[in-house]
């Protein structure tokens, strides 16, 4: 009779139990599913970017996070990680930008940028470009929590989809002072000149930092306003009038300066028969001719020129101009391309 057999059976039972538990633990640690299909995601994106016409494509996936870095897509879940590359174009992940997310889902550009399109001081394409560049910079190379659906869309936009309203610039030259000669006891019956331009206020209003250069030409009054009693040899030689003023619009839109045209030469003579002494510079002869050139140091706005004339009796004169505002865009950013028709395009992807 073998009394040791039951004891051996007990040890075998324990050993089998230990092995079974170990195998069960090993089984629990082994993946039971495949990693996400990054190749399928890349193919979906390429389906939108290689289309002859603006297109979008969607694909379901089981990734928990998706990382898009230019042309590379990485998808990850509990079962592993997969990588794939997009052969055409640079991809822009749009998480966090509502307008771009809506565009990726099929929304129309004119709807998402309706406010900018309706505002003559905003440019919709410029805002779109800023959105794209911001999304690219913020999301590229960053793991994004995925929602199970990948949406890819190539959006094509004409840079001339809207226009900025022109802005008006205005130059005003206003007579602000009469000319009053410096005299010493000259009776009115000897010399009583009519009023002439003594000072002018020049005001320019236009876009901030735009500059206006105003040049005034003419001549100064001499013998034609002197009393007949003044000997001809005492009259100074005629002098040309040549004045220039430069004004730059400030953040308030306006700038001004005052010009007092005076001859350099002075009349300083004694009148005969004890009528006194005449001392005076000379005022400008009507009319004063002016030219204006408006320029933009930044080069964003076109230059403009104008001309006119001013007489004392006019009181003031104005020059106005409408400045057309054209916006030109580059496509140096890696995410934005330009096709043969001059339109810009970008590939948006939401995960």
């Amino acid at each position: 009779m073998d009394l040791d057999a039951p004891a051996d059976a007990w040890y075998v039972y324990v050993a089998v139990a230990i092995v079974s538990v170990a195998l069960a633990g090993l089984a629990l640690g082994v993946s039971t599913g495949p990693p996400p299909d990054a190749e399928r995601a890349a193919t979906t994106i390429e389906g939108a970017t290689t289309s002859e016409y603006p297109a979008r494509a969607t694909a379901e996936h089981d990734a928990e996070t998706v990382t898009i870095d230019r042309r590379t897509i990485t998808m990850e879940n509990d079962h592993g990680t997969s990588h794939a590359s997009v052969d055409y174009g640079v991809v822009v992940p749009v998480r966090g930008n509502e307008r771009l997310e809506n565009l990726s889902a099929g929304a129309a550009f004119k709807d998402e940028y309706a406010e900018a399109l309706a505002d003559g001081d905003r440019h919709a394409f410029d805002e779109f470009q800023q959105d794209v560049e911001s999304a690219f910079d913020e999301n590229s190379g960053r793991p994004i929590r995925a929602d199970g659906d990948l949406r890819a869309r190539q959006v094509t936009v004409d840079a001339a989809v809207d226009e900025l309203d022109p802005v008006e610039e205005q130059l005003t030259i206003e007579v602000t002072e009469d000319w009053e000669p410096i005299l010493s006891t000259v009776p009115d019956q000897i010399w009583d000149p009519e009023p002439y331009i003594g000072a002018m206020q020049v005001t320019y209003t236009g876009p901030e930092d735009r500059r206006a250069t105003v040049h005034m030409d003419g001549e100064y009054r001499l013998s034609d306003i002197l009393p007949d009693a003044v000997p001809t040899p005492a009259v100074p030689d005629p002098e040309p009038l040549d004045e220039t003023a430069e004004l730059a619009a400030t953040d308030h839109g306006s700038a001004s300066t005052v010009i007092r045209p005076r001859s350099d030469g002075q009349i300083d003579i004694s009148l005969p028969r004890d009528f006194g002494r005449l001392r005076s510079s000379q005022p400008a002869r009507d009319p004063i001719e002016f030219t204006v050139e408006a320029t933009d140091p930044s080069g964003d706005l076109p230059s403009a020129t104008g001309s006119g004339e001013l007489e004392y009796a006019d009181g003031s004169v104005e020059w106005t101009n409408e400045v057309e505002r054209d916006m030109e865009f580059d496509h140096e950013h890696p995410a934005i391309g330009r096709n043969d028709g001059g339109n810009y395009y970008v590939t948006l992807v939401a995960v």
Side-chain angles (χ1 to χ4, degrees):
M1 181 176 182
D2 190 357
L3 296 178
D4 294 331
D8 291 341
W10 180 80
Y11 283 114
V12 170
Y13 174 79
V14 171
V16 170
I18 292 173
V19 171
S20 298
V21 170
L23 291 175
L26 181 62
L28 290 174
V30 175
S31 173
T32 59
D37 191 347
E39 286 290 346
R40 181 166 178 262
T43 301
T44 300
I45 295 171
E46 289 179 346
T49 58
T50 59
S51 174
E52 183 178 355
Y53 303 99
R56 62 190 180 97
T58 61
E60 293 183 356
H61 63 84
D62 55 0
E64 294 178 358
T65 60
V66 177
T67 303
I68 298 173
D69 193 358
R70 294 175 177 260
R71 296 184 178 181
T72 301
I73 181 168
T74 300
M75 307 184 80
E76 184 175 3
N77 63 14
D78 289 340
H79 308 309
T81 303
S82 63
H83 308 273
S85 296
V86 177
D87 293 330
Y88 179 81
V90 174
V91 180
V92 179
V94 297
R95 178 63 58 88
N97 187 297
E98 183 177 356
R99 291 193 292 197
L100 296 185
E101 288 184 0
N102 291 341
L103 286 177
S104 73
F109 180 89
K110 65 181 181 63
D111 293 333
E112 293 305 311
Y113 292 86
E115 290 186 8
L117 288 168
D119 189 334
D121 289 325
R122 294 168 61 184
H123 203 289
F125 181 80
D126 183 49
E127 294 189 15
F128 170 71
Q129 179 178 250
Q130 293 180 34
D131 285 347
V132 168
E133 294 183 3
S134 177
F136 180 86
D137 294 340
E138 293 176 5
N139 295 324
S140 293
R142 180 176 69 88
I144 298 174
R145 178 66 63 179
D147 61 10
D149 290 307
L150 181 143
R151 302 187 305 274
R153 183 185 181 191
Q154 184 185 84
V155 177
T156 302
V157 182
D158 183 352
V161 66
D162 63 337
E163 297 179 351
L164 296 174
D165 290 343
V167 293
E168 185 175 277
E169 59 185 345
Q170 177 175 290
L171 181 84
T172 302
I173 305 175
E174 181 182 8
V175 179
T176 56
E177 295 178 16
D178 295 341
W179 175 74
E180 296 181 0
I182 304 171
L183 299 176
S184 175
T185 62
V186 178
D188 291 347
Q189 65 269 26
I190 299 296
W191 191 31
D192 186 19
E194 295 180 358
Y196 302 108
I197 296 173
M200 299 170 288
Q201 181 164 336
V202 183
T203 303
Y204 171 73
T205 302
E208 183 177 359
D209 293 332
R210 188 164 170 86
R211 297 179 181 178
T213 300
V214 186
H215 185 74
M216 298 183 179
D217 291 308
E219 59 184 6
Y220 291 101
R221 290 184 177 274
L222 294 168
S223 59
D224 67 328
I225 63 168
L226 295 180
D228 293 336
V230 176
T232 300
V235 178
D237 292 334
E239 291 182 18
L241 182 153
D242 187 359
E243 298 277 357
T244 300
E246 294 187 355
L247 302 93
T250 66
D251 54 353
H252 299 294
S254 296
S256 65
T257 188
V258 174
I259 296 177
R260 291 181 172 83
R262 297 288 188 276
S263 63
D264 292 332
Q266 299 287 313
I267 295 176
D268 186 358
I269 57 177
S270 296
L271 299 178
R273 295 183 296 175
D274 297 324
F275 280 131
R277 190 173 187 83
L278 189 153
R279 297 185 182 92
S280 179
S281 60
Q282 295 297 298
R285 182 193 301 274
D286 285 343
I288 293 177
E289 297 180 348
F290 73 89
T291 59
V292 56
E293 181 180 14
T295 58
D296 182 6
S298 68
D300 293 335
L301 300 176
S303 299
T305 58
S307 61
E309 60 182 35
L310 174 66
E311 296 189 14
Y312 175 85
D314 296 334
S316 65
V317 65
E318 291 183 353
W319 170 79
T320 59
N321 176 56
E322 280 196 345
V323 185
E324 297 293 337
R325 295 185 291 173
D326 295 326
M327 297 188 70
E328 297 182 359
F329 304 93
D330 58 53
H331 55 285
E332 295 179 357
H333 194 278
I336 301 175
R338 192 175 187 184
N339 60 27
D340 294 338
N343 295 329
Y344 296 90
Y345 62 87
V346 63
T347 301
L348 308 178
V349 174
V351 297

